[in-house]
């Protein structure tokens, strides 16, 4: 049987009434932009992808050429289609309403155009993350306030992973599905259907250099993992940390695991951004049978206060996330 392409996958969901034509076009446009970004990622030092440009983003982080290029590619790809009312990005302080003469649509797009920037110049996988919300009724000039919706309001979420293969993981609310770019044809072909994250795991992902800053429940959980079979867990654990959320989350989707970037004494809100990192990843993980909290509460229930606010993240295999959450409640 011929493989299912992303277009066929989306047309099928449109026919089933799960998505409308505007959302289908929006997802396809993001996927096409990710193909273009993938090509730039692969050019690496040939285009100075990791060169610092001397500018800073709203997070006061030095912008690299690929950060800016990826943002431009995603913005330009999405501004003329008519699906969107506005776009918000990690790389831009304020949301950008779709400019006239382009028609505006009913959706809001939030992007982390290049996740894992610290890995660009060492040739380690990076990615792009996107989240889709509905523009509130009657809002003709969407500003930051229009975007401040809890993650449970997302109608779609996805990320691209620019690794040995270029992958696209998406959900429109009926499971999480994986696609791989066939570079010979130029299409995303479905390779994973209705991904299920194992509820148990013996693999954790955390930046252990922050250990001295962790809150007690996190310290307790990691100490127990490190104690292995000699401790209360009765089994040994493995550790991974890529420093690209997209790569760590894809590993969790593929074989289970728990990914943690908790708030700590230095990053008291957390390091990861709620609106365009934690929320889309939380939807993707929950749709695959996993769980995602900030240590205390479900990430998708958090009411955002600011577009670029940060949050602690504990996500992945359901039983392990619930254990960490129970330690916070103890
Ligand atoms: P950059 O895009 O600035 O490299 O940040 C990546 C990220 O937001 C997320 O993808 C990683 O999991 C996390 O930060 C890595 O943070 P550390 O560099 O502190 O380990």
């Amino acid at each position: 049987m011929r493989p299912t392409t992303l277009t066929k996958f989306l047309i099928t969901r449109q026919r089933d009434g799960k998505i409308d034509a505007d959302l289908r076009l929006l997802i396809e446009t993001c996927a096409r932009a990710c193909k273009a970004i993938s090509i730039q990622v692969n050019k690496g030092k040939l285009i100075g992808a990791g060169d610092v440009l001397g500018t800073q983003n709203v997070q006061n982080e030095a912008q690299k050429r690929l950060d800016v290029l990826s943002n431009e590619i995603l913005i330009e790809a999405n501004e003329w289609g008519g699906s969107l009312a506005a776009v918000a990005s990690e790389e831009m302080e304020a949301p950008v309403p779709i400019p006239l003469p382009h028609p505006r649509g009913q959706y809001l797009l939030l992007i982390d155009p290049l996740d894992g920037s610290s890995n660009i110049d060492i040739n380690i996988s990076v990615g792009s993350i996107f989240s889709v919300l509905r523009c509130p009724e009657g809002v003709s000039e969407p500003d930051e306030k229009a975007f401040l919706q809890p993650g449970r309001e997302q109608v779609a979420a996805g990320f691209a992973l620019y690794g040995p293969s270029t992958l696209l993981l998406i959900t429109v609310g009926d499971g999480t599905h994986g696609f791989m770019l066939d570079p010979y044809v130029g299409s995303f072909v479905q390779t994973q259907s209705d991904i299920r994250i194992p509820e148990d795991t013996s693999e954790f992902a955390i930046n252990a250099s922050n250990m001295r800053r962790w809150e007690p429940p996190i310290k307790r959980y990691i100490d127990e993992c490190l104690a292995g079979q000699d401790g209360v867990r009765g089994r040994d654990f493995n550790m991974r940390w890529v420093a690209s959320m997209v790569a760590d989350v894809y590993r969790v989707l593929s074989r289970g695991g728990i990914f943690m970037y908790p708030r700590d004494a230095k990053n008291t809100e957390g390091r990861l951004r709620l609106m365009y990192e934690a929320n889309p990843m939380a939807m993707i993980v929950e749709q695959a049978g996993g769980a995602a909290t900030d240590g205390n509460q479900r990430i998708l229930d958090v009411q955002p206060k600011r577009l670029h606010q940060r949050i602690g993240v504990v996500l992945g295999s359901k039983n392990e996330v619930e254990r960490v959450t129970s330690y916070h409640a103890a």
Side-chain angles (χ1 to χ4, degrees), residues 57 61-62 64 67 90-91 112 114-120 126-127 129 206-210 241-248 259-261 266-267 271-273 277 281 310:
N57 64 15
E61 295 164 339
K64 297 180 177 177
D67 287 319
E90 178 190 23
E91 300 302 328
D112 177 359
L114 207 288
D115 175 64
S117 306
S118 59
N119 286 325
I120 294 172
V126 294
I129 308 171
I206 196 166
N207 181 337
S209 69
N210 296 320
W241 188 251
V242 183
S244 286
M245 187 182 195
V246 286
D248 283 313
F259 168 91
M260 305 163 80
Y261 212 120
K266 179 184 172 189
N267 296 302
R271 170 178 158 96
L272 304 180
R273 294 78 170 186
E277 287 177 323
M281 290 306 200
R310 298 171 188 260

Side-chain angles (χ1 to χ4, degrees), residues 53-63 91:
L53 300 178
T55 54
Q56 287 194 326
N57 64 15
V58 64
Q59 336 275 342
N60 294 323
E61 295 164 339
Q63 288 182 307
E91 300 302 328

Side-chain angles (χ1 to χ4, degrees), residues 7-53:
T7 301
K8 183 177 176 184
F9 171 90
L10 293 172
I11 287 275
T12 306
R13 271 152 185 76
Q14 182 182 339
R15 285 193 185 128
D16 295 347
K18 289 197 175 68
I19 61 175
D20 62 20
D22 278 351
L23 185 53
R24 173 175 60 79
L25 175 64
L26 175 51
I27 295 171
E28 283 192 304
T29 303
C30 287
R32 193 163 50 249
C34 290
K35 277 194 269 188
I37 294 170
S38 169
I39 291 165
Q40 300 309 317
V41 170
N42 293 339
K43 290 178 183 173
K45 295 189 189 306
L46 296 176
I47 61 165
D51 292 357
V52 175
L53 300 178

